[in-house]
PDB file of all heavy atoms in Angstrom:
ATOM      1  N   TYR A 494       1.313  -5.282 -12.777  1.00  0.00           N
ATOM      2  CA  TYR A 494       2.241  -5.815 -11.742  1.00  0.00           C
ATOM      3  C   TYR A 494       2.450  -7.307 -11.948  1.00  0.00           C
ATOM      4  O   TYR A 494       3.529  -7.852 -11.685  1.00  0.00           O
ATOM      5  CB  TYR A 494       1.729  -5.507 -10.341  1.00  0.00           C
ATOM      6  CG  TYR A 494       1.739  -4.039 -10.089  1.00  0.00           C
ATOM      7  CD1 TYR A 494       0.657  -3.215 -10.347  1.00  0.00           C
ATOM      8  CD2 TYR A 494       2.926  -3.434  -9.584  1.00  0.00           C
ATOM      9  CE1 TYR A 494       0.686  -1.853 -10.159  1.00  0.00           C
ATOM     10  CE2 TYR A 494       2.973  -2.049  -9.364  1.00  0.00           C
ATOM     11  CZ  TYR A 494       1.863  -1.277  -9.640  1.00  0.00           C
ATOM     12  OH  TYR A 494       1.921   0.082  -9.462  1.00  0.00           O
ATOM     13  N   ALA A 495       1.429  -8.008 -12.377  1.00  0.00           N
ATOM     14  CA  ALA A 495       1.537  -9.437 -12.665  1.00  0.00           C
ATOM     15  C   ALA A 495       2.514  -9.644 -13.859  1.00  0.00           C
ATOM     16  O   ALA A 495       3.335 -10.539 -13.839  1.00  0.00           O
ATOM     17  CB  ALA A 495       0.189 -10.061 -12.966  1.00  0.00           C
ATOM     18  N   HIS A 496       2.375  -8.813 -14.814  1.00  0.00           N
ATOM     19  CA  HIS A 496       3.275  -8.892 -15.993  1.00  0.00           C
ATOM     20  C   HIS A 496       4.713  -8.559 -15.575  1.00  0.00           C
ATOM     21  O   HIS A 496       5.649  -9.208 -15.975  1.00  0.00           O
ATOM     22  CB  HIS A 496       2.791  -7.955 -17.097  1.00  0.00           C
ATOM     23  CG  HIS A 496       1.552  -8.464 -17.790  1.00  0.00           C
ATOM     24  ND1 HIS A 496       0.723  -7.680 -18.534  1.00  0.00           N
ATOM     25  CD2 HIS A 496       0.993  -9.686 -17.781  1.00  0.00           C
ATOM     26  CE1 HIS A 496      -0.270  -8.405 -18.994  1.00  0.00           C
ATOM     27  NE2 HIS A 496      -0.160  -9.641 -18.537  1.00  0.00           N
ATOM     28  N   GLU A 497       4.792  -7.543 -14.753  1.00  0.00           N
ATOM     29  CA  GLU A 497       6.107  -7.149 -14.263  1.00  0.00           C
ATOM     30  C   GLU A 497       6.786  -8.322 -13.505  1.00  0.00           C
ATOM     31  O   GLU A 497       8.020  -8.466 -13.547  1.00  0.00           O
ATOM     32  CB  GLU A 497       5.967  -5.928 -13.335  1.00  0.00           C
ATOM     33  CG  GLU A 497       7.255  -5.363 -12.808  1.00  0.00           C
ATOM     34  CD  GLU A 497       8.194  -4.828 -13.883  1.00  0.00           C
ATOM     35  OE1 GLU A 497       7.703  -4.394 -14.951  1.00  0.00           O
ATOM     36  OE2 GLU A 497       9.408  -4.838 -13.672  1.00  0.00           O
ATOM     37  N   ALA A 498       5.951  -9.124 -12.854  1.00  0.00           N
ATOM     38  CA  ALA A 498       6.471 -10.242 -12.080  1.00  0.00           C
ATOM     39  C   ALA A 498       6.863 -11.414 -12.983  1.00  0.00           C
ATOM     40  O   ALA A 498       7.318 -12.456 -12.508  1.00  0.00           O
ATOM     41  CB  ALA A 498       5.445 -10.694 -11.021  1.00  0.00           C
ATOM     42  N   GLY A 499       6.570 -11.273 -14.276  1.00  0.00           N
ATOM     43  CA  GLY A 499       6.960 -12.300 -15.216  1.00  0.00           C
ATOM     44  C   GLY A 499       5.842 -13.312 -15.522  1.00  0.00           C
ATOM     45  O   GLY A 499       6.080 -14.315 -16.182  1.00  0.00           O
ATOM     46  N   PHE A 500       4.624 -13.006 -15.060  1.00  0.00           N
ATOM     47  CA  PHE A 500       3.516 -13.939 -15.341  1.00  0.00           C
ATOM     48  C   PHE A 500       2.904 -13.558 -16.705  1.00  0.00           C
ATOM     49  O   PHE A 500       1.886 -12.836 -16.778  1.00  0.00           O
ATOM     50  CB  PHE A 500       2.453 -13.850 -14.260  1.00  0.00           C
ATOM     51  CG  PHE A 500       2.995 -14.042 -12.871  1.00  0.00           C
ATOM     52  CD1 PHE A 500       2.386 -13.396 -11.785  1.00  0.00           C
ATOM     53  CD2 PHE A 500       4.127 -14.835 -12.630  1.00  0.00           C
ATOM     54  CE1 PHE A 500       2.907 -13.587 -10.519  1.00  0.00           C
ATOM     55  CE2 PHE A 500       4.636 -15.009 -11.344  1.00  0.00           C
ATOM     56  CZ  PHE A 500       4.037 -14.380 -10.284  1.00  0.00           C
ATOM     57  N   THR A 501       3.486 -14.047 -17.751  1.00  0.00           N
ATOM     58  CA  THR A 501       3.024 -13.644 -19.097  1.00  0.00           C
ATOM     59  C   THR A 501       1.640 -14.152 -19.371  1.00  0.00           C
ATOM     60  O   THR A 501       0.947 -13.620 -20.227  1.00  0.00           O
ATOM     61  CB  THR A 501       4.003 -14.190 -20.182  1.00  0.00           C
ATOM     62  OG1 THR A 501       4.227 -15.573 -19.887  1.00  0.00           O
ATOM     63  CG2 THR A 501       5.335 -13.447 -20.099  1.00  0.00           C
ATOM     64  N   ASN A 502       1.247 -15.214 -18.679  1.00  0.00           N
ATOM     65  CA  ASN A 502      -0.111 -15.762 -18.894  1.00  0.00           C
ATOM     66  C   ASN A 502      -1.138 -15.155 -17.966  1.00  0.00           C
ATOM     67  O   ASN A 502      -2.240 -15.675 -17.813  1.00  0.00           O
ATOM     68  CB  ASN A 502      -0.060 -17.284 -18.686  1.00  0.00           C
ATOM     69  CG  ASN A 502       0.555 -17.653 -17.327  1.00  0.00           C
ATOM     70  OD1 ASN A 502       1.185 -16.823 -16.690  1.00  0.00           O
ATOM     71  ND2 ASN A 502       0.334 -18.865 -16.888  1.00  0.00           N
ATOM     72  N   ALA A 503      -0.796 -14.002 -17.360  1.00  0.00           N
ATOM     73  CA  ALA A 503      -1.721 -13.338 -16.457  1.00  0.00           C
ATOM     74  C   ALA A 503      -2.751 -12.543 -17.231  1.00  0.00           C
ATOM     75  O   ALA A 503      -2.586 -11.379 -17.520  1.00  0.00           O
ATOM     76  CB  ALA A 503      -0.979 -12.452 -15.491  1.00  0.00           C
ATOM     77  N   THR A 504      -3.837 -13.166 -17.581  1.00  0.00           N
ATOM     78  CA  THR A 504      -4.905 -12.450 -18.334  1.00  0.00           C
ATOM     79  C   THR A 504      -5.804 -11.711 -17.352  1.00  0.00           C
ATOM     80  O   THR A 504      -5.865 -12.061 -16.164  1.00  0.00           O
ATOM     81  CB  THR A 504      -5.762 -13.457 -19.083  1.00  0.00           C
ATOM     82  OG1 THR A 504      -6.345 -14.345 -18.136  1.00  0.00           O
ATOM     83  CG2 THR A 504      -4.919 -14.251 -20.117  1.00  0.00           C
ATOM     84  N   PRO A 505      -6.503 -10.705 -17.826  1.00  0.00           N
ATOM     85  CA  PRO A 505      -7.442  -9.978 -16.950  1.00  0.00           C
ATOM     86  C   PRO A 505      -8.468 -10.943 -16.359  1.00  0.00           C
ATOM     87  O   PRO A 505      -8.841 -10.767 -15.195  1.00  0.00           O
ATOM     88  CB  PRO A 505      -8.111  -8.977 -17.944  1.00  0.00           C
ATOM     89  CG  PRO A 505      -7.049  -8.741 -18.994  1.00  0.00           C
ATOM     90  CD  PRO A 505      -6.359 -10.058 -19.152  1.00  0.00           C
ATOM     91  N   GLU A 506      -8.900 -11.936 -17.140  1.00  0.00           N
ATOM     92  CA  GLU A 506      -9.936 -12.861 -16.627  1.00  0.00           C
ATOM     93  C   GLU A 506      -9.373 -13.654 -15.438  1.00  0.00           C
ATOM     94  O   GLU A 506     -10.064 -13.821 -14.426  1.00  0.00           O
ATOM     95  CB  GLU A 506     -10.363 -13.811 -17.710  1.00  0.00           C
ATOM     96  CG  GLU A 506     -11.056 -13.163 -18.939  1.00  0.00           C
ATOM     97  CD  GLU A 506     -10.124 -12.316 -19.757  1.00  0.00           C
ATOM     98  OE1 GLU A 506      -8.939 -12.737 -19.986  1.00  0.00           O
ATOM     99  OE2 GLU A 506     -10.541 -11.229 -20.197  1.00  0.00           O
ATOM    100  N   LYS A 507      -8.163 -14.155 -15.606  1.00  0.00           N
ATOM    101  CA  LYS A 507      -7.575 -14.938 -14.555  1.00  0.00           C
ATOM    102  C   LYS A 507      -7.358 -14.086 -13.323  1.00  0.00           C
ATOM    103  O   LYS A 507      -7.630 -14.511 -12.199  1.00  0.00           O
ATOM    104  CB  LYS A 507      -6.237 -15.522 -15.034  1.00  0.00           C
ATOM    105  CG  LYS A 507      -5.746 -16.664 -14.196  1.00  0.00           C
ATOM    106  CD  LYS A 507      -4.769 -17.544 -14.931  1.00  0.00           C
ATOM    107  CE  LYS A 507      -4.387 -18.756 -14.075  1.00  0.00           C
ATOM    108  NZ  LYS A 507      -3.283 -19.501 -14.650  1.00  0.00           N
ATOM    109  N   LEU A 508      -6.897 -12.871 -13.504  1.00  0.00           N
ATOM    110  CA  LEU A 508      -6.654 -11.970 -12.392  1.00  0.00           C
ATOM    111  C   LEU A 508      -7.975 -11.632 -11.691  1.00  0.00           C
ATOM    112  O   LEU A 508      -8.039 -11.486 -10.493  1.00  0.00           O
ATOM    113  CB  LEU A 508      -6.014 -10.682 -12.912  1.00  0.00           C
ATOM    114  CG  LEU A 508      -4.519 -10.394 -12.578  1.00  0.00           C
ATOM    115  CD1 LEU A 508      -3.805 -11.504 -11.862  1.00  0.00           C
ATOM    116  CD2 LEU A 508      -3.775  -9.977 -13.828  1.00  0.00           C
ATOM    117  N   ARG A 509      -9.026 -11.591 -12.487  1.00  0.00           N
ATOM    118  CA  ARG A 509     -10.347 -11.296 -11.939  1.00  0.00           C
ATOM    119  C   ARG A 509     -10.778 -12.412 -10.966  1.00  0.00           C
ATOM    120  O   ARG A 509     -11.388 -12.180  -9.949  1.00  0.00           O
ATOM    121  CB  ARG A 509     -11.374 -11.180 -13.076  1.00  0.00           C
ATOM    122  CG  ARG A 509     -12.819 -11.069 -12.670  1.00  0.00           C
ATOM    123  CD  ARG A 509     -13.079  -9.796 -11.953  1.00  0.00           C
ATOM    124  NE  ARG A 509     -14.471  -9.635 -11.483  1.00  0.00           N
ATOM    125  CZ  ARG A 509     -15.043 -10.320 -10.524  1.00  0.00           C
ATOM    126  NH1 ARG A 509     -14.330 -11.225  -9.877  1.00  0.00           N
ATOM    127  NH2 ARG A 509     -16.315 -10.146 -10.225  1.00  0.00           N
TER     128      ARG A 509
END
Side-chain angles (χ1 to χ4, degrees):
Chain A
Y494 293 91
H496 287 161
E497 182 63 28
F500 308 150
T501 48
N502 53 345
T504 60
E506 297 69 39
K507 197 158 183 189
L508 251 6
R509 173 66 180 74

